[in-house]
Amino acid sequence: MLTLGHLPAGRGATLRRAVDPAVPPELQQMIARAADALNRRSPEEAARFTASGKPAPFAWAARASSRWTGDALAIPGTSPATETRGFLAVFHAWHTCESEADHVYRLVHQPDGWLIGDEIPEDETLGVRVRDHVLRVGLRKSDRTVSIEDTARIELTRAAGAFGLLRLSEDYTVESCAEIAAQGGHPVPFKQAGGIIAFAHPKGTHWSLRLAYRGAPAHTETDYFKPDEVSLESYWVPHTGRLPATSTVTVTAPVGWSAIAPGERIRQTAGPDGAETTTWRNELPISYYTLDAGRYRITERSWQGRTLAAYLLTGDGQMANRCLDLLQRAMPFYESHFGRYPYSRYAVVETRGEFPGALESYSFATFGPKTLPDLIPHELAHTWWGGIVGCTYTHSMWDEALAEYSDQIEAEANGHPPRAPDWAQLLEQRQNMASEYAVVPLASARDTNAEHEVAVGYDKGVRVMRALEAEIGQPALLRALKDIQTRWPHGDPAEWPDLQAAIEKSSGRNLKWFFEQWLHRTGVPLVGIANVSIQRAGDRWAIAGDVMQEAPFYRLRIPVSAEGNRGTSAQVIVECTGERTPFRLLCDDPPVRVRLDPKETLPFAPSARWKSGDDPTVVTLDRTAVR
């Protein structure tokens, strides 16, 4: 995903549910009061409703942007007699995908009443793993509702308790849940609170659940049903821990519309009324699913045995060809460096909703207004980073750093480097890094709906990849990235430590120090240039000076460049480890400026301690001092 700004917390036409009569009123009231404290961003106040009395279980509330509803959920048992065996507290909201999730806590009963116990983290699946989905989707224009039936093939990966949890957007109400077996199906007890579905375990270790649910998604930035299009992105498919699964999606679109879902198109038919029903099968397990449908004008191009497609609502033929040209440029670069593209087609899908960026779905991507064609290489790169090598966003958004890096080096390799920098704008950006990157370390930036985490995950992330490239060299880094792709087991999500291990193995380097300083520290190094001097060296000019760094010190490889008065330049790589590192370089023409990191790719901010002008990382030289 690539966002063009902070995503507001949207509100839609969430279906309201009746209060569960199995929940004691005093329990529901206690959870509602806790939710009120969390909406005031006060973990300390919410702590008085916990068994521990400590705010730590609610630390997430201080940074979350959603408004939470608190509900009690009665844990279903195997028979009505055990229906009230226990309860869960659920704090839920509507979320964009790849963002903050609902929070679920066990409840404990003490002599003086109910209290909130330990959280069940989202990545704690309780041993339940969804391996495959068979989805049938109906889109009804008359009331803009979505009806879905999902047959989810489930595996118990370890001994499990009496219940399992599935997560789904709170846009949808589950109407039925049944176990599917050879001899038929029988109902499975379940309860729903917001986007959390608790169900009683069927017998055995492998079974299928068929869930029927419906909703009316009507948000502003994603997940909407408009007169000429539908776009679903945010947890419309039940999941456990956002773990990857394969899927078959059959969608019946309104008359005159076309629909697209992840994977290969295996069937397309027209009903008596002309409504199109399309089935898509995805054999690559993925974490995030998009379903788009609308009155598209579809432009297709055959290229090297594949189909490249543009699904545009505007019907702009020139834009369609620009999109396909860019796809055709980026695809072979990624294949040559990362491995074979796993599908027979890739599509660019336009939305005219208030979609503030673009979102990958591995065999296609959805692009909001003013994002085409520029964001295509980033979203295409997610097929490898987030698709083949999965990313759940429950711990980090490492794949965004890789997608940004892929986008940059593809453009450079194909003769499309970034525009000449606006140095004043870049100085402001550098100065902001010190504060923007100080909130959360890169290793735990994961919420694409949180502005400060987006700054860390995307911008700092790609700069760290550039720093890694500077450390081991681009050829070694690309070999390591291709090795990850060819060896990674499909269906297993990755995290930063997995990438570190693969890169160390492929490069033959111990990079623990590198990942420790860049992933686990907040902020960035604070650096500057000091003590610059110039003297003649035969028919050339020698420039000497120091790269300065504030504590805590980083190990850095920083390019230092000198610009001559006739447009020439010279550069040296300076390896910094402490407060002061000297440098020296020769310039063919009288030098007018010395600059750190002339391509503006590395992660550091200017230090005011060595400020001699507006920017401590740039020194403008006095020509009269040159002899």
Side-chain angles (χ1 to χ4, degrees), residues 340-508:
R340 183 168 176 78
Y341 177 72
Y343 300 103
S344 67
R345 57 185 285 125
Y346 189 89
V348 170
V349 182
E350 178 186 41
T351 176
R352 287 194 294 222
E354 297 177 35
F355 199 92
L359 179 66
E360 70 277 5
S361 201
Y362 317 109
S363 61
F364 71 99
T366 307
F367 295 84
K370 299 180 181 180
T371 63
L372 287 173
D374 294 346
L375 300 191
I376 288 175
H378 175 99
E379 302 308 331
L380 176 61
H382 273 303
T383 300
W384 288 268
W385 312 119
I388 297 174
V389 184
C391 180
T392 65
Y393 291 76
T394 53
H395 296 283
S396 72
M397 57 173 87
W398 63 265
D399 63 325
E400 298 296 353
L402 268 292
E404 282 285 87
Y405 176 70
S406 302
D407 185 346
Q408 288 186 7
I409 62 173
E410 182 278 324
E412 293 166 1
N414 284 313
H416 296 273
R419 298 184 184 94
D422 179 330
W423 296 113
Q425 183 179 4
L426 287 171
L427 171 59
E428 182 179 1
Q429 183 183 21
R430 284 267 188 220
Q431 291 169 333
N432 290 339
M433 285 183 194
S435 58
E436 287 182 346
Y437 297 173
V439 180
V440 61
L442 180 56
S444 54
R446 60 183 179 83
D447 186 348
T448 62
N449 197 32
E451 194 168 8
H452 59 274
E453 295 195 36
V454 167
V456 172
Y458 288 75
D459 188 57
K460 182 178 179 179
V462 69
R463 290 175 183 274
V464 167
M465 292 306 301
R466 286 295 197 174
L468 180 59
E469 177 188 86
E471 181 63 34
I472 67 174
Q474 189 179 91
L477 179 53
L478 290 178
R479 285 195 303 271
L481 295 181
K482 190 167 189 176
D483 190 54
I484 295 169
Q485 287 288 332
T486 57
R487 296 177 183 273
W488 194 258
H490 289 179
D492 288 352
E495 292 294 344
W496 279 110
D498 300 304
L499 269 69
Q500 176 183 340
I503 292 170
E504 286 182 328
K505 181 178 179 181
S506 182
S507 65

Side-chain angles (χ1 to χ4, degrees), residues 184-229:
H186 59 270
V188 171
F190 76 96
K191 294 286 186 178
Q192 180 175 4
I196 302 299
I197 302 105
F199 63 94
H201 281 304
K203 295 179 180 179
T205 58
H206 293 77
W207 22 268
S208 293
L209 287 182
R210 179 170 294 165
L211 292 92
Y213 51 100
R214 65 185 178 92
H219 303 280
T220 54
E221 61 274 16
T222 68
D223 296 87
Y224 38 76
F225 200 137
K226 296 181 178 295
D228 61 348
E229 64 166 324

Side-chain angles (χ1 to χ4, degrees), residues 11 19 47 72 84 146 155 174 177 183 327 350 379 396 410 456-457 479 490 521 607 609 626:
R11 302 301 300 172
V19 175
T84 57
V146 180
E155 172 189 350
V174 176
C177 178
Q183 67 273 23
L327 270 178
E350 178 186 41
E379 302 308 331
S396 72
E410 182 278 324
V456 172
R479 285 195 303 271
H490 289 179
R521 294 188 195 179
S607 169
R609 286 181 60 182
V626 179

Side-chain angles (χ1 to χ4, degrees), residues 55-92:
F58 297 120
W60 52 269
R63 67 175 187 273
S65 57
S66 299
R67 180 165 183 82
W68 305 91
T69 298
D71 279 317
L73 186 153
I75 299 173
T78 55
S79 68
T82 58
E83 189 74 28
T84 57
R85 67 185 343 177
F87 298 92
L88 300 173
V90 178
F91 299 97
H92 58 90

